[in-house]
């Protein structure tokens, strides 16, 4: 496995592979890897000739300074994990390599980046789009793998690829959960023991909400989920919404769309967690 820090050496190595017509699979990450990331790498391995994983904590997608400072940086441990699953290349640039000068591009995603995460984290998705576009330009992958836990991010990336005509297939991969149901996230390692015990409750509520679809409307389910979160002293609701899985706009009736999902963001202590569940 090779670890490259510069764009030049990464591109030089990848060019050889492109000349040999090798298919390149790409998994962009911010490091602090867990089984969810490793599953993306495994899937990429099974569908491509070589796999590139980028590890870059992208400062411009954080709208909370403390979150950026506290984001776990565990490059050596990440590299060991990636070696074990057979990753070929890690691209781990520093900030100057990616942003030799500030990038002020403003993307237009219509309403996709205004709802849910976009409402509470203004500028976040523009920062994600800027870095993902740069990474795609550097790696020029055939296939790129993204987890469905960040469901809204996935829709934004699909829209980015479409509007910028980037020749890459975006491959969504299912959420990976701990045995108790908690969606895997790099933030989980920052939970206290007490918070960690409460965390699985989030997915339990989503499952129970799904079980109530026959009796309750999307609005009633939303009210029910809000009440469940309220009665847990350690949890604080940011939002729960039942949305059309393509437009991400809230639905009023179950037959408003073919595919609806329930998306949630909650604070557990100081840690903000997101999750989602397929409803129809
Ligand atoms: O999902 C993430 O880890 C990040 O948002 C991404 C896609 C690597 C961009 O920094």
């Amino acid at each position: 496995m090779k670890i490259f820090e510069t764009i030049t050496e990464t591109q030089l190595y990848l060019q050889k592979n492109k000349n040999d017509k090798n298919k390149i699979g790409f998994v962009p990450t911010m490091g602090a890897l867990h089984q969810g990331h490793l599953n993306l790498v495994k899937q990429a391995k099974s569908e491509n000739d070589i796999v590139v994983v980028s590890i870059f904590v992208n400062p411009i997608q954080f709208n909370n300074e403390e979150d950026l400072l506290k984001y776990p940086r565990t490059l050596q441990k990440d590299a060991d994990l990636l070696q074990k699953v057979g990753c070929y290349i890690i691209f781990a640039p520093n900030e100057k390599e990616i942003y030799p000068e500030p990038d002020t591009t403003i993307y237009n995603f219509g309403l996709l980046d205004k709802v849910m995460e976009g409402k509470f984290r203004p500028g976040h998705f523009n920062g994600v789009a800027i870095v993902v576009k740069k990474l795609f330009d550097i790696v020029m992958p055939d296939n790129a793998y993204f987890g469905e836990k960040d469901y809204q991010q996935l829709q934004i990336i699909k829209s980015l690829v479409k509007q910028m005509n980037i020749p890459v297939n975006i491959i969504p991969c299912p959420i990976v959960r701990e045995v108790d149901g908690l969606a895997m996230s790099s933030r989980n390692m920052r939970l206290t023991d007490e918070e960690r015990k409460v965390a699985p409750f989030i997915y339990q509520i989503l499952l129970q909400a799904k079980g109530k679809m026959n009796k309750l409307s999307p609005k009633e389910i939303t009210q029910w989920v809000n009440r469940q979160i309220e009665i847990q002293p350690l949890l604080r609701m940011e939002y729960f919404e039942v949305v059309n899985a393509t437009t991400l706009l809230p639905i009023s009736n179950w037959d408003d769309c073919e595919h609806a999902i329930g998306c949630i963001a909650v604070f557990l202590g100081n840690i903000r967690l997101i999750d989602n569940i397929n409803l129809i």
Side-chain angles (χ1 to χ4, degrees):
M1 185 177 71
K2 307 228 174 280
I3 304 184
F4 295 134
E5 290 176 5
T6 67
I7 296 172
T8 312
E9 53 189 346
T10 307
Q11 286 186 323
L12 211 68
Y13 187 89
L14 290 176
Q15 193 52 54
K16 266 195 271 135
N17 279 279
K18 283 188 209 302
N19 293 345
D20 292 345
K21 302 257 178 305
N22 282 339
K23 245 198 206 173
I24 298 173
F26 179 43
V27 181
T29 82
M30 298 206 298
L33 303 183
H34 50 68
Q35 195 54 47
H37 296 110
L38 300 181
N39 278 19
L40 300 181
V41 176
K42 282 183 194 159
Q43 183 164 343
K45 257 202 94 178
S46 70
E47 295 172 357
N48 300 275
D49 298 304
I50 67 163
V51 177
V52 181
V53 174
S54 64
I55 297 183
F56 177 65
V57 181
N58 177 31
I60 67 165
Q61 72 184 73
F62 286 80
N63 40 3
N64 175 328
E65 188 68 19
E66 192 190 335
D67 208 18
L68 171 61
L69 289 174
K70 293 209 169 137
Y71 199 87
R73 288 155 172 90
T74 54
L75 183 59
Q76 191 49 57
K77 191 170 158 232
D78 293 342
D80 293 345
L81 290 170
L82 288 171
Q83 173 105 48
K84 280 193 199 123
V85 290
C87 165
Y88 293 79
I89 297 172
I90 299 177
F91 174 50
N94 66 22
E95 203 179 318
K96 268 269 159 290
E97 188 71 8
I98 296 293
Y99 299 115
E101 51 198 51
D103 190 321
T104 53
T105 312
I106 305 282
Y107 287 100
N108 181 356
F109 294 112
L111 291 177
L112 272 188
D113 67 342
K114 311 286 180 299
V115 295
M116 298 194 291
E117 291 298 284
K119 236 191 274 171
F120 291 94
R121 305 182 68 189
H124 165 68
F125 286 122
N126 201 64
V128 170
I130 287 176
V131 81
V132 169
K133 168 78 170 70
K134 277 176 178 279
L135 292 169
F136 282 169
D137 287 347
I138 295 164
V139 176
M140 292 195 283
D142 296 282
N143 299 307
Y145 296 78
F146 291 86
E148 285 180 334
K149 184 173 82 69
D150 295 299
Y151 190 85
Q152 192 170 2
Q153 168 171 284
L154 183 60
Q155 302 311 310
I156 296 279
I157 308 275
K158 283 184 186 167
S159 167
L160 172 76
V161 162
K162 205 167 168 190
Q163 50 180 284
M164 304 307 291
N165 297 310
I166 306 172
V168 59
N169 299 313
I170 300 302
I171 319 278
C173 302
I175 299 178
V176 181
R177 299 183 180 279
E178 304 284 356
V179 278
D180 58 15
L182 175 64
M184 287 195 187
S185 162
S186 309
R187 289 162 195 254
N188 295 354
M189 63 174 85
R190 289 169 53 200
L191 296 171
T192 63
D193 289 349
E194 194 190 0
E195 288 163 356
R196 179 63 189 80
K197 280 191 201 127
V198 172
F201 190 64
I202 300 165
Y203 184 52
Q204 284 163 20
I205 292 176
L206 293 182
L207 281 176
Q208 287 177 42
K210 187 177 169 95
K212 291 181 184 298
M213 281 176 54
N214 291 342
K215 289 186 231 110
L216 301 182
S217 69
K219 187 174 171 198
E220 287 164 337
I221 289 216
T222 305
Q223 288 164 344
W224 182 85
V225 170
N226 271 290
R227 273 199 306 278
Q228 303 313 301
I229 296 289
E230 262 166 36
I231 54 182
Q232 268 293 332
L234 290 182
L235 291 176
R236 182 161 53 82
M237 178 67 103
E238 196 151 78
Y239 65 80
F240 171 76
E241 292 196 21
V242 176
V243 298
N244 176 320
T246 310
T247 62
L248 303 185
L249 296 177
I251 59 166
S252 317
N253 300 299
W254 294 117
D255 48 16
D256 278 357
C257 61
E258 271 176 27
H259 181 194
I261 62 168
C263 297
I264 193 166
V266 289
F267 275 97
L268 181 43
N270 287 327
I271 311 300
R272 187 174 184 279
L273 299 175
I274 60 171
D275 201 347
N276 64 73
I277 192 164
N278 271 322
L279 294 173
I280 43 171

